[in-house]
Amino acid sequence: MLDIKYIRENAELLKKTAEQKQIEVDIDRLVDLDKNMKEKQAAIEKMRTERNTLSAEIPTLQGDSKEEKVKFVRNLKEDLSKLEAELKPIEEEFKNLMLRVPNPTLPEVPYGKSDEDNVEIRKVGEIREFSFTPKAHYELGETLDLMDFTHASKIAGSRTYYLKNDAVLLEMAICRYVLDKLVSKGFTPMSVPVMVKDIAMSGTGYFPLGKEQAYEIGEDGLYLVGTSEVSLVSYHNGEVVDVKDKPILYAGYSNCFRREAGTYGKDTKGLYRVHQFTKIEQVVICKADLDEQYKLHDFLLNNSEEILQELGIPYRVVKVCTGDIGQGQVRKHDIEAWMPSRNAYSETHSCSSFNDFQARRSNIRYKDENGELKFAYTLNNTAIASPRILIPILENYQNEDGSVNIPEALVPYMGGKTLIGK
């Protein structure tokens, strides 16, 4: 959410931002509503003051004067009720439009209409040349008894899976390895609620835009999160935090759920696009300082790159363009790991900066060096997401006999095991 004063003063910029981010929102209508709302609020406040003054005066009056004032106050109350009723839908529409206004991107964000326009900034690692025809992860998963899609589909539908045997241990090894790395860098590990209220989804910018991607538990008024970012940022909803001297660093471990609405027929085979997954998310809450935000953004990005480097997975980093960046994000990088079965680099990590977009919606503030309350800045980045990360590991580490080597960094977390074989 943005400050309405900023919106009024930068209406044309925000129209352009909405067009670039492909978000439908009527900025002119919002500005008009704001003006109308303020006029009605001022009139209501004036009428309430007059009503209260006269109501206090009436007991001191007598006779016709008293009767006349009583009648006047009665009519005033009726007019006030009518005006309040007129204001309510205006406030509701104003609030709904405010939640749709996009955050302008930083100047470095490239212009583009889709992920095809994202700009590559570096590649790291050598793509393996196989001396045999490599198998896709789901083929390896079947022959090595690591995953089962048939039984999962029978009881849970499409985009579901069972992990089995060493795949389960491998996923747990990856998560523990990543958590240990982040803790060593000063992150507080957190296991978070995955069922949250609307206030958490709206506060972090996942509602109202994107609501179609969330699973709703209707009877309880709860939603399943698509990332622990929702729960971690919302942990401080409505609070004043201490970030003046150092930022808050959280590593959130959780199951995540996404409906994948709008992806019918896309990536239906294997583990790439599924409804339920496990993720460790890096979340930062810091003071409202752009220089610090840049440093922290690069810090988060570097952490994820280190993880892929230590796992020995080739990858590339791209700047995300205006048409592929989210409503609240001002700067974003994706990391894409090399996946032989797709013959392409494919997204495994997303690193995002929001300025005060989430903090303003969630009312998260801090006191600066002058004791003034300000909205904080927030950032996040995937540390690891499974089972998607299993794709490049299994496919890049496979052997001609169908076995799979375990990345050296994970061997201690696999009890010393170095090979997954029949």
Side-chain angles (χ1 to χ4, degrees), residues 302-364:
N302 182 67
N303 290 341
S304 296
E305 289 195 64
E306 279 185 13
I307 289 166
L308 288 180
Q309 289 168 18
E310 291 174 10
L311 291 177
I313 297 173
Y315 66 90
R316 71 171 190 160
V317 181
V318 299
K319 279 187 178 181
V320 177
C321 72
T322 54
D324 192 36
I325 201 168
Q327 179 195 7
Q329 296 158 345
V330 299
R331 181 189 185 209
K332 182 178 180 182
H333 290 84
D334 280 352
I335 302 177
E336 301 173 348
W338 178 255
M339 301 183 184
S341 65
R342 298 168 68 87
N343 193 35
Y345 292 98
S346 298
E347 181 197 329
T348 52
H349 301 72
S350 288
C351 186
S352 304
S353 293
F354 290 84
N355 285 0
D356 64 3
F357 184 84
Q358 291 182 321
R360 187 177 292 275
R361 292 168 78 112
S362 300
N363 194 27
I364 301 171

Short mmCIF file of all heavy atoms in Angstrom, two decimals, residues 302-364:
data_model
loop_
_atom_site.label_atom_id
_atom_site.label_comp_id
_atom_site.label_asym_id
_atom_site.label_seq_id
_atom_site.Cartn_x
_atom_site.Cartn_y
_atom_site.Cartn_z
N ASN A 302 23.02 -13.36 -2.59
CA ASN A 302 24.29 -14.07 -2.46
C ASN A 302 24.14 -15.36 -1.66
O ASN A 302 24.77 -16.37 -1.97
CB ASN A 302 25.33 -13.16 -1.81
CG ASN A 302 26.69 -13.83 -1.70
OD1 ASN A 302 27.35 -14.10 -2.71
ND2 ASN A 302 27.12 -14.12 -0.48
N ASN A 303 23.30 -15.32 -0.61
CA ASN A 303 23.08 -16.53 0.19
C ASN A 303 22.54 -17.66 -0.68
O ASN A 303 22.99 -18.81 -0.58
CB ASN A 303 22.08 -16.25 1.32
CG ASN A 303 22.65 -15.35 2.39
OD1 ASN A 303 23.87 -15.19 2.51
ND2 ASN A 303 21.78 -14.75 3.19
N SER A 304 21.58 -17.35 -1.52
CA SER A 304 20.99 -18.38 -2.38
C SER A 304 21.98 -18.85 -3.44
O SER A 304 22.01 -20.04 -3.79
CB SER A 304 19.72 -17.84 -3.04
OG SER A 304 18.74 -17.56 -2.06
N GLU A 305 22.77 -17.93 -3.95
CA GLU A 305 23.79 -18.33 -4.92
C GLU A 305 24.82 -19.25 -4.28
O GLU A 305 25.27 -20.23 -4.89
CB GLU A 305 24.47 -17.10 -5.52
CG GLU A 305 23.58 -16.30 -6.46
CD GLU A 305 24.39 -15.32 -7.29
OE1 GLU A 305 25.24 -15.77 -8.09
OE2 GLU A 305 24.17 -14.09 -7.14
N GLU A 306 25.21 -18.95 -3.05
CA GLU A 306 26.16 -19.80 -2.33
C GLU A 306 25.61 -21.22 -2.20
O GLU A 306 26.35 -22.20 -2.34
CB GLU A 306 26.44 -19.24 -0.94
CG GLU A 306 27.45 -18.13 -0.91
CD GLU A 306 27.77 -17.71 0.52
OE1 GLU A 306 27.38 -18.45 1.47
OE2 GLU A 306 28.39 -16.65 0.70
N ILE A 307 24.31 -21.32 -1.91
CA ILE A 307 23.69 -22.63 -1.74
C ILE A 307 23.79 -23.43 -3.03
O ILE A 307 24.19 -24.61 -3.02
CB ILE A 307 22.22 -22.47 -1.29
CG1 ILE A 307 22.18 -21.96 0.16
CG2 ILE A 307 21.46 -23.78 -1.42
CD1 ILE A 307 20.83 -21.45 0.60
N LEU A 308 23.45 -22.82 -4.16
CA LEU A 308 23.52 -23.53 -5.44
C LEU A 308 24.96 -23.85 -5.81
O LEU A 308 25.24 -24.92 -6.36
CB LEU A 308 22.86 -22.70 -6.54
CG LEU A 308 21.33 -22.60 -6.47
CD1 LEU A 308 20.79 -21.76 -7.61
CD2 LEU A 308 20.68 -23.98 -6.48
N GLN A 309 25.88 -22.95 -5.50
CA GLN A 309 27.29 -23.21 -5.78
C GLN A 309 27.79 -24.40 -4.97
O GLN A 309 28.49 -25.28 -5.49
CB GLN A 309 28.12 -21.97 -5.49
CG GLN A 309 27.92 -20.83 -6.48
CD GLN A 309 28.53 -19.52 -6.01
OE1 GLN A 309 29.39 -19.51 -5.13
NE2 GLN A 309 28.09 -18.42 -6.59
N GLU A 310 27.44 -24.45 -3.69
CA GLU A 310 27.90 -25.53 -2.84
C GLU A 310 27.21 -26.85 -3.19
O GLU A 310 27.76 -27.93 -2.94
CB GLU A 310 27.66 -25.17 -1.37
CG GLU A 310 28.59 -24.05 -0.90
CD GLU A 310 28.28 -23.57 0.52
OE1 GLU A 310 27.48 -24.23 1.20
OE2 GLU A 310 28.84 -22.53 0.91
N LEU A 311 26.02 -26.77 -3.78
CA LEU A 311 25.35 -27.98 -4.26
C LEU A 311 25.86 -28.39 -5.63
O LEU A 311 25.52 -29.46 -6.14
CB LEU A 311 23.83 -27.76 -4.31
CG LEU A 311 23.11 -27.62 -2.98
CD1 LEU A 311 21.63 -27.32 -3.20
CD2 LEU A 311 23.28 -28.89 -2.13
N GLY A 312 26.67 -27.52 -6.26
CA GLY A 312 27.24 -27.84 -7.56
C GLY A 312 26.24 -27.80 -8.69
O GLY A 312 26.36 -28.57 -9.66
N ILE A 313 25.27 -26.91 -8.61
CA ILE A 313 24.24 -26.81 -9.64
C ILE A 313 24.48 -25.56 -10.49
O ILE A 313 24.53 -24.44 -9.96
CB ILE A 313 22.84 -26.74 -8.99
CG1 ILE A 313 22.56 -28.02 -8.22
CG2 ILE A 313 21.76 -26.50 -10.05
CD1 ILE A 313 21.28 -27.98 -7.42
N PRO A 314 24.61 -25.69 -11.80
CA PRO A 314 24.75 -24.51 -12.67
C PRO A 314 23.48 -23.66 -12.62
O PRO A 314 22.37 -24.19 -12.54
CB PRO A 314 24.95 -25.11 -14.06
CG PRO A 314 25.33 -26.54 -13.83
CD PRO A 314 24.67 -26.95 -12.56
N TYR A 315 23.66 -22.35 -12.69
CA TYR A 315 22.50 -21.47 -12.62
C TYR A 315 22.80 -20.15 -13.30
O TYR A 315 23.94 -19.85 -13.65
CB TYR A 315 22.11 -21.21 -11.15
CG TYR A 315 23.12 -20.42 -10.37
CD1 TYR A 315 23.07 -19.01 -10.31
CD2 TYR A 315 24.15 -21.05 -9.67
CE1 TYR A 315 24.01 -18.29 -9.60
CE2 TYR A 315 25.10 -20.34 -8.96
CZ TYR A 315 25.02 -18.96 -8.92
OH TYR A 315 25.96 -18.23 -8.23
N ARG A 316 21.75 -19.37 -13.48
CA ARG A 316 21.92 -18.00 -13.96
C ARG A 316 21.05 -17.07 -13.11
O ARG A 316 20.07 -17.50 -12.50
CB ARG A 316 21.58 -17.87 -15.44
CG ARG A 316 20.10 -17.99 -15.76
CD ARG A 316 19.85 -17.62 -17.21
NE ARG A 316 18.41 -17.49 -17.50
CZ ARG A 316 17.91 -16.84 -18.53
NH1 ARG A 316 18.71 -16.24 -19.40
NH2 ARG A 316 16.60 -16.77 -18.73
N VAL A 317 21.42 -15.81 -13.09
CA VAL A 317 20.68 -14.78 -12.37
C VAL A 317 20.12 -13.80 -13.39
O VAL A 317 20.83 -13.37 -14.30
CB VAL A 317 21.58 -14.02 -11.36
CG1 VAL A 317 20.77 -12.97 -10.60
CG2 VAL A 317 22.21 -15.01 -10.38
N VAL A 318 18.84 -13.44 -13.22
CA VAL A 318 18.22 -12.49 -14.15
C VAL A 318 17.59 -11.34 -13.37
O VAL A 318 17.11 -11.52 -12.24
CB VAL A 318 17.14 -13.15 -15.03
CG1 VAL A 318 17.74 -14.25 -15.88
CG2 VAL A 318 15.98 -13.69 -14.20
N LYS A 319 17.63 -10.15 -13.98
CA LYS A 319 16.84 -9.03 -13.49
C LYS A 319 15.42 -9.21 -14.02
O LYS A 319 15.21 -9.39 -15.21
CB LYS A 319 17.40 -7.70 -14.01
CG LYS A 319 18.59 -7.16 -13.25
CD LYS A 319 18.92 -5.76 -13.78
CE LYS A 319 20.09 -5.15 -13.02
NZ LYS A 319 20.39 -3.79 -13.52
N VAL A 320 14.45 -9.14 -13.11
CA VAL A 320 13.06 -9.33 -13.51
C VAL A 320 12.50 -8.02 -14.05
O VAL A 320 12.68 -6.96 -13.45
CB VAL A 320 12.23 -9.85 -12.32
CG1 VAL A 320 10.76 -9.98 -12.70
CG2 VAL A 320 12.77 -11.21 -11.86
N CYS A 321 11.81 -8.11 -15.18
CA CYS A 321 11.31 -6.91 -15.86
C CYS A 321 9.99 -6.42 -15.27
O CYS A 321 9.36 -7.09 -14.44
CB CYS A 321 11.16 -7.18 -17.35
SG CYS A 321 9.78 -8.27 -17.76
N THR A 322 9.56 -5.27 -15.73
CA THR A 322 8.35 -4.62 -15.19
C THR A 322 7.09 -5.46 -15.37
O THR A 322 6.19 -5.43 -14.52
CB THR A 322 8.13 -3.25 -15.87
OG1 THR A 322 8.10 -3.44 -17.30
CG2 THR A 322 9.24 -2.29 -15.51
N GLY A 323 7.01 -6.24 -16.44
CA GLY A 323 5.81 -7.03 -16.68
C GLY A 323 5.76 -8.33 -15.92
O GLY A 323 4.74 -9.01 -15.91
N ASP A 324 6.86 -8.70 -15.26
CA ASP A 324 6.94 -9.96 -14.54
C ASP A 324 7.14 -9.74 -13.04
O ASP A 324 7.20 -10.70 -12.28
CB ASP A 324 8.10 -10.80 -15.10
CG ASP A 324 8.10 -12.25 -14.63
OD1 ASP A 324 7.00 -12.80 -14.47
OD2 ASP A 324 9.19 -12.82 -14.43
N ILE A 325 7.22 -8.48 -12.64
CA ILE A 325 7.46 -8.16 -11.23
C ILE A 325 6.11 -7.99 -10.52
O ILE A 325 5.11 -7.63 -11.14
CB ILE A 325 8.32 -6.88 -11.11
CG1 ILE A 325 9.01 -6.81 -9.75
CG2 ILE A 325 7.51 -5.63 -11.40
CD1 ILE A 325 10.08 -5.72 -9.69
N GLY A 326 6.07 -8.27 -9.24
CA GLY A 326 4.81 -8.25 -8.50
C GLY A 326 4.33 -6.85 -8.15
O GLY A 326 5.05 -5.85 -8.32
N GLN A 327 3.12 -6.78 -7.64
CA GLN A 327 2.48 -5.51 -7.30
C GLN A 327 3.31 -4.66 -6.35
O GLN A 327 3.46 -3.46 -6.54
CB GLN A 327 1.11 -5.76 -6.68
CG GLN A 327 0.37 -4.48 -6.28
CD GLN A 327 -0.81 -4.74 -5.35
OE1 GLN A 327 -1.00 -5.88 -4.89
NE2 GLN A 327 -1.60 -3.73 -5.09
N GLY A 328 3.86 -5.29 -5.31
CA GLY A 328 4.55 -4.52 -4.28
C GLY A 328 6.05 -4.43 -4.45
O GLY A 328 6.72 -3.66 -3.76
N GLN A 329 6.61 -5.20 -5.37
CA GLN A 329 8.06 -5.28 -5.50
C GLN A 329 8.62 -4.08 -6.26
O GLN A 329 8.05 -3.65 -7.26
CB GLN A 329 8.44 -6.58 -6.21
CG GLN A 329 8.05 -7.82 -5.42
CD GLN A 329 7.91 -9.05 -6.29
OE1 GLN A 329 7.84 -8.97 -7.51
NE2 GLN A 329 7.86 -10.21 -5.66
N VAL A 330 9.74 -3.56 -5.77
CA VAL A 330 10.41 -2.44 -6.45
C VAL A 330 11.67 -2.90 -7.17
O VAL A 330 12.18 -2.21 -8.05
CB VAL A 330 10.77 -1.31 -5.46
CG1 VAL A 330 9.52 -0.75 -4.80
CG2 VAL A 330 11.77 -1.79 -4.40
N ARG A 331 12.16 -4.08 -6.79
CA ARG A 331 13.37 -4.64 -7.39
C ARG A 331 13.32 -6.14 -7.19
O ARG A 331 12.95 -6.63 -6.12
CB ARG A 331 14.61 -4.05 -6.69
CG ARG A 331 15.95 -4.53 -7.24
CD ARG A 331 17.09 -4.05 -6.33
NE ARG A 331 18.39 -4.37 -6.89
CZ ARG A 331 19.48 -4.60 -6.15
NH1 ARG A 331 19.42 -4.51 -4.83
NH2 ARG A 331 20.64 -4.87 -6.71
N LYS A 332 13.67 -6.90 -8.22
CA LYS A 332 13.57 -8.35 -8.10
C LYS A 332 14.58 -9.04 -9.00
O LYS A 332 14.81 -8.63 -10.13
CB LYS A 332 12.15 -8.81 -8.48
CG LYS A 332 11.90 -10.30 -8.34
CD LYS A 332 10.45 -10.63 -8.70
CE LYS A 332 10.18 -12.12 -8.57
NZ LYS A 332 8.78 -12.46 -8.95
N HIS A 333 15.20 -10.09 -8.46
CA HIS A 333 16.06 -10.97 -9.23
C HIS A 333 15.54 -12.40 -9.09
O HIS A 333 15.10 -12.81 -8.01
CB HIS A 333 17.50 -10.94 -8.71
CG HIS A 333 18.23 -9.66 -8.99
ND1 HIS A 333 18.12 -8.55 -8.17
CD2 HIS A 333 19.08 -9.31 -10.00
CE1 HIS A 333 18.87 -7.58 -8.66
NE2 HIS A 333 19.47 -8.01 -9.76
N ASP A 334 15.58 -13.15 -10.17
CA ASP A 334 15.31 -14.58 -10.12
C ASP A 334 16.61 -15.33 -10.32
O ASP A 334 17.49 -14.89 -11.08
CB ASP A 334 14.33 -15.00 -11.21
CG ASP A 334 12.88 -14.71 -10.85
OD1 ASP A 334 12.62 -14.32 -9.69
OD2 ASP A 334 12.01 -14.87 -11.73
N ILE A 335 16.73 -16.47 -9.64
CA ILE A 335 17.81 -17.41 -9.89
C ILE A 335 17.18 -18.62 -10.57
O ILE A 335 16.18 -19.16 -10.10
CB ILE A 335 18.53 -17.83 -8.61
CG1 ILE A 335 19.11 -16.61 -7.88
CG2 ILE A 335 19.63 -18.83 -8.92
CD1 ILE A 335 19.78 -16.96 -6.56
N GLU A 336 17.79 -19.04 -11.67
CA GLU A 336 17.26 -20.16 -12.44
C GLU A 336 18.33 -21.25 -12.52
O GLU A 336 19.44 -21.01 -13.00
CB GLU A 336 16.87 -19.70 -13.84
CG GLU A 336 15.81 -18.60 -13.83
CD GLU A 336 15.53 -18.01 -15.20
OE1 GLU A 336 16.31 -18.30 -16.16
OE2 GLU A 336 14.54 -17.28 -15.32
N ALA A 337 17.99 -22.43 -12.04
CA ALA A 337 18.93 -23.56 -12.05
C ALA A 337 18.81 -24.32 -13.36
O ALA A 337 17.74 -24.38 -13.98
CB ALA A 337 18.64 -24.49 -10.88
N TRP A 338 19.93 -24.93 -13.79
CA TRP A 338 19.91 -25.70 -15.03
C TRP A 338 19.25 -27.05 -14.79
O TRP A 338 19.63 -27.80 -13.89
CB TRP A 338 21.33 -25.91 -15.55
CG TRP A 338 21.35 -26.76 -16.80
CD1 TRP A 338 21.73 -28.06 -16.91
CD2 TRP A 338 20.94 -26.34 -18.11
NE1 TRP A 338 21.59 -28.49 -18.20
CE2 TRP A 338 21.10 -27.45 -18.96
CE3 TRP A 338 20.46 -25.14 -18.64
CZ2 TRP A 338 20.80 -27.40 -20.31
CZ3 TRP A 338 20.15 -25.08 -19.98
CH2 TRP A 338 20.32 -26.20 -20.81
N MET A 339 18.23 -27.34 -15.60
CA MET A 339 17.48 -28.59 -15.50
C MET A 339 17.57 -29.31 -16.84
O MET A 339 16.90 -28.90 -17.81
CB MET A 339 16.03 -28.31 -15.11
CG MET A 339 15.89 -27.58 -13.77
SD MET A 339 14.16 -27.32 -13.27
CE MET A 339 14.40 -26.34 -11.77
N PRO A 340 18.37 -30.37 -16.93
CA PRO A 340 18.59 -31.07 -18.20
C PRO A 340 17.31 -31.52 -18.89
O PRO A 340 17.20 -31.43 -20.12
CB PRO A 340 19.46 -32.26 -17.80
CG PRO A 340 20.24 -31.76 -16.62
CD PRO A 340 19.26 -30.90 -15.87
N SER A 341 16.31 -32.01 -18.14
CA SER A 341 15.09 -32.51 -18.78
C SER A 341 14.31 -31.41 -19.47
O SER A 341 13.56 -31.66 -20.41
CB SER A 341 14.19 -33.20 -17.74
OG SER A 341 13.72 -32.27 -16.78
N ARG A 342 14.47 -30.17 -19.00
CA ARG A 342 13.81 -29.02 -19.62
C ARG A 342 14.72 -28.34 -20.63
O ARG A 342 14.29 -27.44 -21.35
CB ARG A 342 13.40 -28.03 -18.53
CG ARG A 342 12.39 -28.59 -17.53
CD ARG A 342 12.23 -27.69 -16.30
NE ARG A 342 11.59 -26.42 -16.62
CZ ARG A 342 10.28 -26.21 -16.64
NH1 ARG A 342 9.45 -27.21 -16.35
NH2 ARG A 342 9.79 -25.02 -16.93
N ASN A 343 16.01 -28.77 -20.63
CA ASN A 343 17.03 -28.16 -21.49
C ASN A 343 17.01 -26.64 -21.34
O ASN A 343 17.09 -25.89 -22.31
CB ASN A 343 16.81 -28.55 -22.96
CG ASN A 343 18.02 -28.21 -23.82
OD1 ASN A 343 19.16 -28.30 -23.37
ND2 ASN A 343 17.76 -27.80 -25.07
N ALA A 344 16.91 -26.21 -20.09
CA ALA A 344 16.77 -24.77 -19.84
C ALA A 344 17.10 -24.46 -18.38
O ALA A 344 17.09 -25.34 -17.52
CB ALA A 344 15.34 -24.32 -20.13
N TYR A 345 17.44 -23.19 -18.17
CA TYR A 345 17.50 -22.67 -16.81
C TYR A 345 16.06 -22.37 -16.37
O TYR A 345 15.32 -21.69 -17.10
CB TYR A 345 18.33 -21.38 -16.76
CG TYR A 345 19.80 -21.56 -17.03
CD1 TYR A 345 20.33 -21.31 -18.29
CD2 TYR A 345 20.67 -21.96 -16.02
CE1 TYR A 345 21.68 -21.45 -18.55
CE2 TYR A 345 22.03 -22.10 -16.26
CZ TYR A 345 22.53 -21.86 -17.53
OH TYR A 345 23.88 -22.00 -17.77
N SER A 346 15.68 -22.84 -15.20
CA SER A 346 14.31 -22.63 -14.73
C SER A 346 14.33 -22.14 -13.29
O SER A 346 15.18 -22.53 -12.48
CB SER A 346 13.51 -23.93 -14.82
OG SER A 346 13.40 -24.36 -16.17
N GLU A 347 13.36 -21.30 -12.96
CA GLU A 347 13.35 -20.57 -11.69
C GLU A 347 13.34 -21.50 -10.46
O GLU A 347 12.54 -22.42 -10.38
CB GLU A 347 12.13 -19.66 -11.63
CG GLU A 347 12.04 -18.85 -10.34
CD GLU A 347 10.65 -18.27 -10.11
OE1 GLU A 347 9.96 -17.97 -11.10
OE2 GLU A 347 10.27 -18.14 -8.94
N THR A 348 14.23 -21.19 -9.54
CA THR A 348 14.25 -21.87 -8.24
C THR A 348 14.23 -20.88 -7.08
O THR A 348 13.90 -21.27 -5.95
CB THR A 348 15.49 -22.78 -8.10
OG1 THR A 348 16.67 -22.00 -8.41
CG2 THR A 348 15.40 -23.98 -9.04
N HIS A 349 14.59 -19.62 -7.33
CA HIS A 349 14.66 -18.61 -6.28
C HIS A 349 14.16 -17.26 -6.81
O HIS A 349 14.41 -16.93 -7.97
CB HIS A 349 16.09 -18.41 -5.78
CG HIS A 349 16.75 -19.64 -5.22
ND1 HIS A 349 17.16 -20.69 -6.01
CD2 HIS A 349 17.08 -19.96 -3.94
CE1 HIS A 349 17.71 -21.61 -5.22
NE2 HIS A 349 17.67 -21.20 -3.99
N SER A 350 13.52 -16.49 -5.94
CA SER A 350 13.12 -15.12 -6.28
C SER A 350 13.48 -14.19 -5.13
O SER A 350 13.05 -14.41 -3.99
CB SER A 350 11.62 -15.03 -6.55
OG SER A 350 11.29 -15.63 -7.78
N CYS A 351 14.25 -13.16 -5.43
CA CYS A 351 14.73 -12.21 -4.42
C CYS A 351 14.06 -10.85 -4.65
O CYS A 351 14.19 -10.27 -5.73
CB CYS A 351 16.25 -12.07 -4.52
SG CYS A 351 16.98 -11.07 -3.21
N SER A 352 13.34 -10.36 -3.65
CA SER A 352 12.50 -9.17 -3.85
C SER A 352 12.68 -8.14 -2.76
O SER A 352 12.82 -8.47 -1.58
CB SER A 352 11.02 -9.58 -3.88
OG SER A 352 10.77 -10.56 -4.87
N SER A 353 12.63 -6.86 -3.17
CA SER A 353 12.60 -5.72 -2.25
C SER A 353 11.27 -5.00 -2.42
O SER A 353 10.77 -4.86 -3.54
CB SER A 353 13.75 -4.76 -2.53
OG SER A 353 15.00 -5.35 -2.24
N PHE A 354 10.71 -4.49 -1.30
CA PHE A 354 9.36 -3.92 -1.32
C PHE A 354 9.30 -2.46 -0.86
O PHE A 354 8.22 -1.88 -0.86
CB PHE A 354 8.43 -4.73 -0.40
CG PHE A 354 8.11 -6.10 -0.91
CD1 PHE A 354 8.98 -7.16 -0.68
CD2 PHE A 354 6.95 -6.34 -1.60
CE1 PHE A 354 8.69 -8.44 -1.14
CE2 PHE A 354 6.64 -7.61 -2.07
CZ PHE A 354 7.52 -8.66 -1.84
N ASN A 355 10.43 -1.88 -0.44
CA ASN A 355 10.35 -0.59 0.27
C ASN A 355 9.37 -0.76 1.43
O ASN A 355 9.38 -1.79 2.09
CB ASN A 355 9.96 0.54 -0.67
CG ASN A 355 11.11 0.98 -1.56
OD1 ASN A 355 12.20 0.42 -1.47
ND2 ASN A 355 10.89 1.95 -2.41
N ASP A 356 8.48 0.22 1.69
CA ASP A 356 7.58 0.11 2.84
C ASP A 356 6.20 -0.41 2.47
O ASP A 356 5.25 -0.28 3.23
CB ASP A 356 7.46 1.46 3.56
CG ASP A 356 6.81 2.54 2.70
OD1 ASP A 356 6.40 2.25 1.55
OD2 ASP A 356 6.71 3.69 3.16
N PHE A 357 6.07 -1.02 1.28
CA PHE A 357 4.77 -1.47 0.77
C PHE A 357 4.08 -2.44 1.74
O PHE A 357 2.92 -2.26 2.11
CB PHE A 357 4.97 -2.14 -0.59
CG PHE A 357 3.70 -2.58 -1.26
CD1 PHE A 357 2.94 -1.69 -2.00
CD2 PHE A 357 3.27 -3.90 -1.16
CE1 PHE A 357 1.78 -2.09 -2.64
CE2 PHE A 357 2.11 -4.31 -1.79
CZ PHE A 357 1.36 -3.41 -2.53
N GLN A 358 4.79 -3.49 2.17
CA GLN A 358 4.21 -4.47 3.08
C GLN A 358 4.07 -3.90 4.49
O GLN A 358 3.07 -4.14 5.17
CB GLN A 358 5.06 -5.73 3.12
CG GLN A 358 5.03 -6.53 1.82
CD GLN A 358 5.86 -7.80 1.93
OE1 GLN A 358 6.95 -7.81 2.54
NE2 GLN A 358 5.40 -8.87 1.32
N ALA A 359 5.05 -3.15 4.92
CA ALA A 359 5.02 -2.60 6.29
C ALA A 359 3.88 -1.60 6.46
O ALA A 359 3.25 -1.55 7.53
CB ALA A 359 6.35 -1.93 6.60
N ARG A 360 3.59 -0.83 5.43
CA ARG A 360 2.49 0.13 5.52
C ARG A 360 1.15 -0.61 5.61
O ARG A 360 0.27 -0.25 6.38
CB ARG A 360 2.51 1.06 4.30
CG ARG A 360 1.51 2.20 4.37
CD ARG A 360 1.66 3.11 3.15
NE ARG A 360 2.93 3.82 3.16
CZ ARG A 360 3.16 4.96 3.80
NH1 ARG A 360 2.17 5.53 4.49
NH2 ARG A 360 4.33 5.54 3.76
N ARG A 361 1.00 -1.66 4.81
CA ARG A 361 -0.22 -2.47 4.86
C ARG A 361 -0.36 -3.19 6.19
O ARG A 361 -1.47 -3.40 6.69
CB ARG A 361 -0.22 -3.48 3.71
CG ARG A 361 -0.34 -2.86 2.33
CD ARG A 361 -0.04 -3.86 1.23
NE ARG A 361 -1.14 -4.74 0.97
CZ ARG A 361 -1.87 -4.75 -0.16
NH1 ARG A 361 -1.59 -3.89 -1.12
NH2 ARG A 361 -2.85 -5.61 -0.33
N SER A 362 0.78 -3.61 6.75
CA SER A 362 0.78 -4.37 8.00
C SER A 362 1.01 -3.49 9.23
O SER A 362 1.05 -4.00 10.36
CB SER A 362 1.88 -5.45 7.95
OG SER A 362 1.66 -6.35 6.89
N ASN A 363 1.19 -2.19 9.00
CA ASN A 363 1.43 -1.23 10.09
C ASN A 363 2.62 -1.64 10.96
O ASN A 363 2.53 -1.71 12.18
CB ASN A 363 0.17 -1.05 10.96
CG ASN A 363 0.26 0.16 11.88
OD1 ASN A 363 0.98 1.11 11.57
ND2 ASN A 363 -0.42 0.11 12.99
N ILE A 364 3.74 -1.90 10.30
CA ILE A 364 4.99 -2.24 11.00
C ILE A 364 5.90 -1.02 10.94
O ILE A 364 6.32 -0.59 9.87
CB ILE A 364 5.68 -3.45 10.34
CG1 ILE A 364 4.76 -4.66 10.37
CG2 ILE A 364 6.99 -3.77 11.07
CD1 ILE A 364 5.28 -5.84 9.56
#
